[in-house]
Amino acid sequence: MDETLRKAALDYHRHPRPGKLAITPTKRMETSRDLALAYSPGVAAACLAIKDDPDTAYDYTTRGNLVAVITNGTAVLGLGNIGALASKPVMEGKAVLFKKFAGIDTFDIEVDQPDPDRFIEVVAALEPSFGGINLEDIKAPECFRIEQTLRERMNIPVFHDDQHGTAIIVGAAVQNAMIVQGKTIDDVRIVTSGAGAAAISCVRILIALGANPENIVMTDIEGVIYKGRPNLNETLEPFARDTAARTLPEVLDGADIFLGLSAPGVLKPEWLDKFAANPLILALANPEPEIRPELVAEHRPDAIVCTGRSDFPNQVNNVLCFPFIFRGALDVGATAITEGMKLAAVTAIAELTRIEASETVAAAYGGVAPVFGRDYIIPKPFDPRLILHIAPAVARAAMDEGVARRPIADFDVYQHDLERLVFRSGLLLRPVIEVARSAKVRIVYGEGEDERTLRAAQSVIDDRMGTPLLVGRTAAIMQRIAALGLRMKPEQDFRIVDFEREQGLFRRLLETYQHIVNRRGVPPDAAQRQLSRRPTVAAGMLLAAGEADAAICGGLGDWSRQFRYAMPIIPRKPGIKRVSAMTALILQSGNLFFCDTHVNEDPSSEDIAEMTHLAAGMVSHFGITPKVALLSHSNFGASNSASARKMRRALALIHAQDPELEVDGEMHADAALFEPIRARAVCDSRLTGSANLLVMPSIDAANIGFNLLKAAGEAVTVGPFLLGLSKPLHIAIPSVTARGLVNMSAVAAMEAALMAG
């Protein structure tokens, strides 16, 4: 880890408040009656109910959605035995993943006890508090006995993710690789590099999937695990083979699968010819694999390669399964996570990869649905379908195996609940970022000297979302990069557009710009000053001239002025009459999109219909099905004011232009967000559930409503985004943060990719 990354990581964990987790109450505490219900005397009712029937703890407490992530710190990531306290940042990180991906509340518990027996006693005593136990970062071979003993003693799921999470993803990858490579699992030869907890669990699950144990040879740092090898422990003894081979290269002849869970560079390129035709190489050491995928491609182009890294296809990442396995287990009140539940997860992940994607899923992948094949044998972690496939499969398996205390009666209803959870998860931008990564676009930033822009550009480079073009003075930009300790290098990672140094480019852009504004009251000398001094003009012209694929402007000065500078440069899309703006809020309760927050002061019915169509299209690009509410002071015809009539006419136009769009109005904001309130007002609304796209009758309503909710809800702002332009250009508000610019960059890059495709 270089010094810059180390400092950034420490700052991330320290600010704005230490750590990555907080506890938030789920019930209001505003009146004396609330206090009486939450605590004394009302709490006694819940206590007595649980005393009479312990299973009602799932009804009256958080236990049914609460998992403990527990470690003793004896095998933390690649850091080894660093102790319980030093492991806490990792456990907090695991807790964040549970919450973000599956909505599961988590307490991280670091037990300062390396002795397995005493550790077992501590964990077993915690059973009343939790619905499940996720063991983490415990060294082998103790981890096997710890998990097995706790599974036998505890009546809730106990799951050691280091073993089983990796094994489940590997199992899915192997199943699909066999299909792609035309092989069957019972015939293949498997060689491992590594014989720790994860490797042993992987081998066990492959045997459960049909692999022949006699066709599996395990190796570790000392060589082949063979019968009679000195100092074999009881865990490895069943996997010892009767063979004269002693080293890894000796057992690779004719191997179909290499399973690496060991160390960087263990598998040498010159050994690749030893493998059978069409091998599967699972090089899962992280961050540096046992062999680089490009070396495999060079020597064995017939191989499928999986790694633990996100910058190569087929990433084996435990986050693909553990949140969703626990989601399914908790939702049926499972007493254990059985082998059948693990195999159900394997099958669900493998099948999901082969299923033809729906429109919503294709949108989540940037409009291009993933295709099952050599570079796609396991899903990507952000795939919104994961929870929808794995959790029900695990829940069904728990019911089939008799470990479900609270069986699900209606899986259609359960599926609907999971779909709502997906959109409350706060992962709004993950599909967008993935598209941005694949597009490799050039993003020009007007305020290239601004600290926020420079930090955002570094993140864009690190996240592989595109190549930044920074408008500004070379010396000022380089000085600030050095002062901020950023790692990006000009020409290699980004480009500086300094008109003082690129006079030829400036003259070409100036000639075009003068013609654009010539009859807009801007004489030639003023045009020259604007291009050289107005960063938004410079960025817009670089985009218009094809020097960039997307542009991010603003962040300094008045937003409306920046908008006026940009608008003459980039034309509207064909058939679009007005440019509008949409802004998103990521809230704890879900994601909301607001239109029009910045541009049209008093749009007509036709303008509202047009902006609604454009905004709904943008929402769908986030992988979300738009649910549109046209808001008003009037509720379904209650008023005959001009504003109410405008919204009613807009609704009629939208229905005529896009009859499939789920939209209704005019309505109050509470009716838009709460279906019971809406149902009391009308009996035939086409809108179901909660609206996610709110269209306002004026800029005042949109901007005020948006900012009030942002301030009250501790929300994350994404945008604003301009709708209707022929090229992606967006203008940041003055309060934008570096992360906000990164988010805008991802959306702009996604738009550029979609427009190019």
Side-chain angles (χ1 to χ4, degrees):
M1 184 186 306
D2 63 39
E3 182 59 23
T4 302
L5 181 59
R6 188 189 73 83
K7 183 179 183 302
L10 292 176
D11 288 345
Y12 174 85
H13 282 81
R14 184 184 294 123
H15 302 298
R17 54 191 290 186
K20 300 189 284 281
L21 293 170
I23 296 175
T24 302
T26 60
K27 302 294 192 298
R28 68 182 185 180
M29 183 64 65
E30 299 171 357
T31 67
S32 59
R33 178 166 176 78
D34 294 337
L35 180 61
L37 293 171
Y39 201 54
S40 181
V43 72
C47 293
L48 294 173
I50 295 169
K51 178 180 178 294
D52 293 338
D53 181 359
D55 279 351
T56 60
Y58 291 93
D59 298 317
Y60 301 127
T61 76
T62 61
R63 190 185 190 209
N65 195 52
L66 188 62
V67 167
V69 175
I70 306 182
T71 188
N72 61 5
T74 54
V76 181
L77 295 177
L79 305 175
N81 187 358
I82 62 174
L85 181 59
S87 75
K88 187 172 178 63
V90 180
M91 301 308 115
E92 285 189 356
K94 194 67 175 281
V96 169
L97 295 178
F98 268 110
K99 186 65 175 179
K100 289 294 185 183
F101 282 95
I104 294 173
D105 295 318
T106 311
F107 287 161
D108 63 288
I109 299 177
E110 295 73 34
V111 180
D112 191 11
Q113 185 49 259
D115 178 75
D117 292 320
R118 297 184 67 182
F119 180 83
I120 288 168
E121 293 303 320
V122 170
V123 176
L126 297 173
E127 180 172 343
S129 297
F130 299 100
I133 303 292
N134 186 99
L135 299 174
E136 192 78 14
D137 291 352
I138 302 169
K139 71 183 181 72
E142 290 93 330
C143 62
F144 299 110
R145 182 163 68 86
I146 288 172
E147 185 194 37
Q148 183 59 37
T149 303
L150 289 172
R151 288 181 63 183
E152 292 169 356
R153 288 184 55 175
M154 302 182 79
N155 205 33
I156 57 175
V158 177
F159 186 80
H160 186 204
D161 184 49
D162 296 325
Q163 296 180 58
H164 309 303
T166 300
I168 287 165
I169 309 305
V170 165
V174 169
Q175 278 195 336
N176 282 338
M178 295 300 94
I179 295 172
V180 174
Q181 302 291 52
K183 300 182 180 183
T184 57
I185 194 169
D186 55 325
D187 287 334
V188 296
R189 289 194 65 247
I190 302 170
V191 175
T192 80
S193 173
I200 290 172
S201 188
C202 287
V203 168
R204 286 174 173 165
I205 211 161
L206 292 177
I207 291 172
L209 291 170
N212 183 346
E214 296 303 316
N215 289 342
I216 302 174
V217 179
M218 300 189 73
T219 71
D220 61 11
I221 195 170
E222 297 179 22
V224 175
I225 309 295
Y226 62 90
K227 288 186 177 179
R229 196 178 97 168
N231 302 320
L232 278 185
N233 60 49
E234 61 182 11
T235 304
L236 285 176
E237 186 68 42
F239 302 101
R241 295 292 168 254
D242 189 5
T243 175
R246 296 294 182 265
T247 65
L248 175 60
E250 291 179 80
V251 295
L252 291 177
D253 289 318
D256 298 278
I257 298 174
F258 172 82
L259 175 57
L261 290 153
S262 53
V266 167
L267 182 61
K268 307 301 181 185
E270 57 267 27
W271 300 344
L272 291 173
D273 287 340
K274 294 175 175 287
F275 285 91
N278 302 317
L280 171 63
I281 309 293
L282 294 142
L284 306 183
N286 226 351
E288 190 62 26
E290 285 79 2
I291 188 169
R292 299 279 299 184
E294 57 265 32
L295 291 175
V296 178
E298 179 183 345
H299 291 84
R300 288 301 300 264
D302 60 333
I304 293 176
V305 183
C306 299
T307 71
R309 295 172 53 138
S310 61
D311 52 347
F312 294 108
N314 300 321
Q315 182 192 15
V316 175
N317 188 330
N318 290 11
V319 79
L320 284 168
C321 68
F322 74 78
F324 316 121
I325 289 173
F326 270 96
R327 180 74 277 157
L330 292 173
D331 290 341
V332 294
T335 57
I337 293 177
T338 65
E339 294 305 307
M341 293 162 73
K342 296 174 198 171
L343 291 175
V346 171
T347 301
I349 294 168
E351 290 179 346
L352 171 60
T353 321
R354 305 193 297 268
I355 294 173
E356 182 180 352
S358 68
E359 262 187 337
T360 298
V361 173
Y365 280 85
V368 180
V371 178
F372 177 64
R374 307 171 60 80
D375 290 334
Y376 181 68
I377 61 170
I378 43 179
K380 298 191 177 186
F382 68 81
D383 194 317
R385 300 171 296 173
L386 284 164
I387 192 171
L388 305 178
H389 282 255
I390 299 173
V394 170
R396 288 183 189 276
M399 292 164 59
D400 292 342
E401 300 210 333
V403 296
R405 281 179 294 204
R406 300 161 65 87
I408 292 171
D410 189 331
F411 270 87
D412 289 337
V413 173
Y414 180 55
Q415 194 83 12
H416 184 63
D417 290 341
L418 290 176
E419 288 172 358
R420 292 204 302 266
L421 181 62
V422 168
F423 301 124
R424 291 199 305 266
S425 65
L427 300 179
L428 176 67
L429 285 160
R430 283 186 172 271
V432 173
I433 290 172
E434 186 66 18
V435 179
R437 284 176 175 172
S438 66
K440 304 186 188 309
V441 302
R442 300 160 299 168
I443 308 171
V444 60
Y445 296 86
E447 301 292 346
E449 298 178 15
D450 188 83
E451 176 181 326
R452 296 167 299 174
T453 299
L454 294 172
R455 291 190 183 278
Q458 182 69 73
S459 294
V460 167
I461 293 165
D462 290 343
D463 291 340
R464 304 180 307 282
M465 287 197 294
T467 301
L469 280 68
L470 304 176
V471 176
R473 298 165 295 167
T474 301
I477 290 173
M478 295 307 301
Q479 182 181 11
R480 289 192 174 124
I481 287 174
L484 294 169
L486 303 177
R487 293 163 281 109
M488 56 186 185
K489 295 178 171 53
E491 302 310 320
Q492 178 180 321
D493 300 318
F494 70 99
R495 173 187 165 195
I496 297 175
V497 181
D498 184 344
F499 286 147
E500 289 296 323
R501 297 189 176 199
E502 298 188 58
Q503 286 294 311
L505 174 61
F506 180 78
R507 286 192 295 271
R508 291 198 305 273
L509 297 180
L510 177 59
E511 183 180 357
T512 304
Y513 184 60
Q514 286 173 334
H515 281 92
I516 290 173
V517 298
N518 184 47
R519 296 184 180 273
R520 293 175 178 261
V522 183
D525 58 339
Q528 181 172 347
R529 288 195 302 272
Q530 287 186 358
L531 181 60
S532 61
R533 299 178 186 176
R534 302 294 184 190
T536 295
V537 174
M541 285 306 302
L542 287 164
L543 175 61
E547 295 287 330
D549 305 298
I552 304 297
C553 307
L556 295 174
D558 180 69
W559 189 95
S560 298
R561 185 180 297 114
Q562 308 286 358
F563 176 78
R564 289 194 296 272
Y565 286 136
M567 282 308 95
I569 299 171
I570 305 299
R572 297 185 296 274
K573 292 178 180 178
I576 299 299
K577 296 179 179 179
R578 300 289 296 268
V579 174
S580 54
M582 182 184 78
T583 312
L585 281 182
I586 301 176
L587 300 157
Q588 290 295 324
S589 57
N591 305 310
L592 283 178
F593 299 83
F594 292 77
C595 187
D596 171 7
T597 48
H598 284 78
V599 178
N600 296 290
E601 293 184 6
D602 186 15
S604 66
S605 297
E606 289 75 14
D607 294 336
I608 290 170
E610 182 178 79
M611 73 172 65
T612 299
H613 172 75
L614 293 171
M618 176 67 88
V619 170
S620 69
H621 291 324
F622 285 86
I624 296 174
T625 301
K627 294 174 176 285
V628 188
L630 305 184
L631 299 189
S632 173
H633 74 283
S634 173
N635 208 31
F636 300 107
S639 168
N640 201 36
S641 68
S643 173
R645 292 198 306 271
K646 176 174 73 173
M647 299 307 281
R648 287 199 289 273
R649 173 166 165 72
L651 179 66
L653 292 172
I654 294 167
H655 281 164
Q657 295 165 6
D658 190 355
E660 298 302 316
L661 183 63
E662 191 171 331
V663 56
D664 206 349
E666 83 284 13
M667 69 177 76
H668 289 171
D670 57 353
L673 298 179
F674 298 101
E675 191 168 28
I677 294 176
R678 191 164 63 249
R680 288 198 295 269
V682 292
C683 62
D684 60 349
S685 177
R686 292 176 59 173
L687 183 62
T688 60
S690 177
N692 52 34
L693 173 55
L694 307 179
V695 180
M696 310 288 188
S698 70
I699 193 172
D700 285 339
N703 203 279
I704 292 169
F706 166 80
N707 281 298
L708 277 173
L709 192 55
K710 178 180 71 172
E714 296 184 1
V716 175
T717 301
V718 185
F721 302 112
L722 294 177
L723 306 174
L725 292 176
S726 58
K727 291 188 176 185
L729 181 147
H730 300 298
I731 301 171
I733 57 176
S735 61
V736 71
T737 62
R739 176 50 53 184
L741 291 173
V742 172
N743 294 340
M744 296 182 75
S745 301
V747 173
M750 174 195 69
E751 290 180 282
L754 296 175
M755 290 176 180

